[in-house]
Amino acid sequence: MVHGFLIHTLGCSPSGDADLTRVLYSRTFSSETCNQAADLERVRLLRKEQMLAVARHITSACVLTRQALEKPVYDFDAFFSWQDDNLQDAEFGVFSLSPGDPFLECKTVLWMGVLSLGFALICDIHDNLTLAEDTLRLIVKHLIEHLRLLSQGSDVILKADKTEIILNTFLPHGQLLFLNHQFILALEKEMTSSMSK
């Protein structure tokens, strides 16, 4: 089962300063065992800190990947020439988090960097990573297409309801689905009808 999903910025400075990373959207599907006496506000703040720590790891990994590929770290001109079929060229990576960094148990993080946005699935250690990768690519494709995330003035925070619809369609309750072409078409049709309501 997927532990969480995350959309964040990859920073805005040419230096790649990870301090500029901002979590735009996060959703946790499973909760770690914690003290029942802990108040809800402390649990919420802990989750927020955990997601920000993951986002900073992803920002660092994405910047290093772009530098290794001799790509510009932040190419602002690419916003105007981006096409949906360029998604295959987006940076992609996988890394694992050891216990206590920042979660209690081991987690595997699959991430994609698309221009200045980072997307991630935080998976349990035993999840099928190939299936998780396909699911992440599918979710990112639909988020960019339906929410126009890469357009000027796009605000992810104001579009949380549509993000929820996309996640509930392709990642219901954090469960990875085995998807074939026909099943994807049926899910896309269902998702489109839900968004039009």
Side-chain angles (χ1 to χ4, degrees):
M1 181 171 165
V2 172
H3 178 75
F5 175 77
L6 181 64
I7 302 174
H8 63 91
T9 62
L10 291 172
C12 301
S13 70
S15 65
D17 188 2
D19 290 339
L20 295 175
T21 300
R22 300 284 182 258
V23 174
L24 301 175
Y25 175 88
S26 68
R27 180 169 176 193
T28 304
F29 296 104
S30 66
S31 60
E32 294 184 309
T33 57
C34 60
N35 184 0
Q36 295 291 357
D39 66 44
L40 294 176
E41 185 63 20
R42 280 187 37 205
V43 171
R44 187 187 70 78
L45 287 174
L46 176 65
R47 284 188 185 150
K48 188 175 178 180
E49 289 174 11
Q50 288 172 333
M51 292 298 184
L52 184 58
V54 172
R56 286 184 178 147
H57 279 297
I58 294 167
T59 299
S60 298
C62 188
V63 167
L64 289 173
T65 301
R66 288 177 181 177
Q67 288 173 344
L69 295 173
E70 297 182 358
K71 289 183 177 180
V73 175
Y74 298 102
D75 188 6
F76 293 109
D77 296 331
F79 272 103
F80 304 110
S81 62
W82 182 263
Q83 307 256 330
D84 286 343
D85 55 345
N86 291 0
L87 199 57
Q88 293 299 323
D89 297 334
E91 290 79 24
F92 180 82
V94 178
F95 61 87
S96 67
L97 298 169
S98 57
D101 180 32
F103 303 102
L104 296 175
E105 300 173 355
C106 288
K107 301 289 181 198
T108 303
V109 178
L110 287 88
W111 61 270
M112 278 185 78
V114 180
L115 298 177
S116 65
L117 292 176
F119 303 88
L121 283 180
I122 303 164
C123 302
D124 291 330
I125 200 72
H126 60 272
D127 282 332
N128 183 333
L129 296 182
T130 303
L131 189 57
E133 177 185 350
D134 291 343
T135 303
L136 179 60
R137 289 186 185 277
L138 189 62
I139 289 170
V140 170
K141 173 187 163 223
H142 285 286
L143 285 171
I144 290 172
E145 180 182 319
H146 290 285
L147 304 182
R148 294 170 182 63
L149 290 181
L150 302 179
S151 65
Q152 295 286 18
S154 179
D155 195 351
V156 174
I157 298 167
L158 297 176
K159 299 176 180 179
D161 56 337
K162 290 186 178 182
T163 303
E164 290 286 328
I165 291 171
I166 292 170
L167 285 178
N168 288 337
T169 302
F170 297 108
L171 198 61
H173 307 291
Q175 294 294 322
L176 293 170
L177 302 175
F178 287 95
L179 302 170
N180 63 28
H181 184 68
Q182 292 297 323
F183 191 45
I184 290 172
L185 290 176
L187 289 175
E188 287 173 341
K189 186 176 180 180
E190 176 186 318
M191 179 188 65
T192 303
S193 68
S194 295
M195 283 192 180
S196 64
K197 292 180 183 177

